């Protein structure tokens, strides 16, 4: 609509300048039409650059995520790997359902910021807050909607909520875990077998406690504080 309004202002200014004989009336109408044209251009620039006529709307989506490791592992695992030169953003790896065979890789982009936080309970979640630009009302949408920028993305914040029964590891740590957790001497093998027996029994009565004990052992093996 704003393009049509600009065209009307331009045509009227041209017609007034060409057809009106009275100099004062001609200059007055031409000036008004030119002013309307300038205001229309300013409106378009303001809309494109500063989102004039728009407001920010934020929506939140919370979804449960599932361990990137084996379902029989006894504890949850969220994997991540730094990307880019500054290492501030990570690729996160997890499963989207309990029966999923393949892991899901969540890659960051220029409009997404991700982080981790600890929560209570025994389930992990991915919480995504998405902020978009939308028109304040139908009038603004009618005027500037030709730009096709309604619902344009401003920013997306993703938080991975990790409970005490889960552990977040880098992909390098996950790859080295098996070797570091494997007992090497006969005494270590006996101790590990006994520990597994105790964990299996504990998992029947208190699976969360068993998971926390396994995570503690993983942190010790990987020297994670």
């Amino acid at each position: 609509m704003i393009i049509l309004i600009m065209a009307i202002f331009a045509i009227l200014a041209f017609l007034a300048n060409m057809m009106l004989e009275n100099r004062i009336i001609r200059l007055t109408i031409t000036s008004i039409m030119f002013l309307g044209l300038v205001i229309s251009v300013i409106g378009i620039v303001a809309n494109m650059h500063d989102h004039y006529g728009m407001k920010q709307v934020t929506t939140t989506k919370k979804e449960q995520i599932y361990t990137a490791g084996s379902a029989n592992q006894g504890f949850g695992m969220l994997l991540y790997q730094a990307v880019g030169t500054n290492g501030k953003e990570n690729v996160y790896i997890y499963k989207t359902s309990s029966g999923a065979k393949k892991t899901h890789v969540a890659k960051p982009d220029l409009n997404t910021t991700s982080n981790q936080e600890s929560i209570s309970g025994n389930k992990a979640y991915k919480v995504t807050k998405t902020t978009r630009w939308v028109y304040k009302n139908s009038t603004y949408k009618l005027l500037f909607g030709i730009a096709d920028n309604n619902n344009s993305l401003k920013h997306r914040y993703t938080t991975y909520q990790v409970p005490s029964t889960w552990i977040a590891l880098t992909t390098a740590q996950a790859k080295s875990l098996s070797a570091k957790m494997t007992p090497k001497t006969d005494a270590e093998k006996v101790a590990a077998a006994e520990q597994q027996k105790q964990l299996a029994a504990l998992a029947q009565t208190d699976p969360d406690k068993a998971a926390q004990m396994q995570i503690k052992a993983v942190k010790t093996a990987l020297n994670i504080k």
Side-chain angles (χ1 to χ4, degrees), residues 204-221:
Q204 298 298 318
T205 57
D206 193 345
D208 288 358
K209 183 65 176 179
Q212 292 166 359
M213 290 180 63
Q214 291 183 76
I215 290 171
K216 183 178 181 179
V218 170
K219 288 183 175 181
T220 300

Side-chain angles (χ1 to χ4, degrees), residues 1-178:
M1 178 61 75
I2 193 67
I3 301 299
L4 178 60
I5 292 174
M6 289 176 60
I8 292 173
F9 279 133
I11 292 171
L12 291 177
F14 174 78
L15 292 176
N17 191 53
M18 295 296 294
M19 300 179 66
L20 295 177
E21 296 182 0
N22 187 296
R23 184 172 180 272
I24 295 177
I25 296 177
R26 182 174 68 249
L27 290 176
T28 300
I29 294 179
T30 302
S31 298
I32 293 174
M33 293 303 104
F34 182 75
L35 179 62
L37 182 61
V38 171
I39 292 174
S40 298
V41 172
I42 292 174
I44 290 176
V45 173
N47 175 258
M48 295 178 65
H49 186 267
D50 299 315
H51 298 92
Y52 172 71
M54 308 183 81
K55 62 182 179 179
Q56 298 179 31
V57 175
T58 300
T59 57
T60 302
K61 179 181 179 182
K62 184 175 183 179
E63 53 188 321
Q64 186 176 350
I65 60 175
Y66 299 84
T67 179
S70 169
N72 300 322
Q73 199 166 34
F75 61 93
M77 185 184 295
L78 174 67
L79 302 181
Y80 64 95
Q81 180 176 342
V83 294
T85 56
N86 57 17
K88 291 183 179 180
E89 287 299 329
N90 297 313
V91 168
Y92 284 91
I93 304 171
Y94 54 90
K95 290 177 182 176
T96 56
S97 67
S98 58
K101 295 182 179 180
K102 294 183 178 180
T103 55
H104 174 74
V105 180
K107 299 179 181 179
D109 55 52
L110 295 177
N111 293 315
T112 301
T113 301
S114 57
N115 68 317
Q116 304 172 31
E117 69 175 12
S118 298
I119 60 170
S120 58
N122 55 16
K123 295 180 180 179
Y125 298 93
K126 176 183 178 181
V127 180
T128 305
K129 292 185 178 181
T130 304
T131 302
R132 295 183 180 275
W133 289 104
V134 299
Y135 283 106
K136 293 179 180 179
N137 53 50
S138 58
T139 301
Y140 284 116
K141 185 177 181 181
L142 180 64
L143 283 173
F144 303 107
I146 192 172
D148 195 27
N149 58 354
N150 196 32
N151 288 310
S152 58
L153 178 65
K154 181 180 185 292
H155 205 279
R156 182 181 292 113
Y157 295 92
T158 300
T159 301
Y160 292 91
Q161 298 181 332
V162 183
S164 60
T165 56
W166 277 56
I167 187 171
L169 299 176
T170 66
T171 52
Q173 289 173 328
K175 288 179 181 178
S176 66
L177 182 59
S178 178

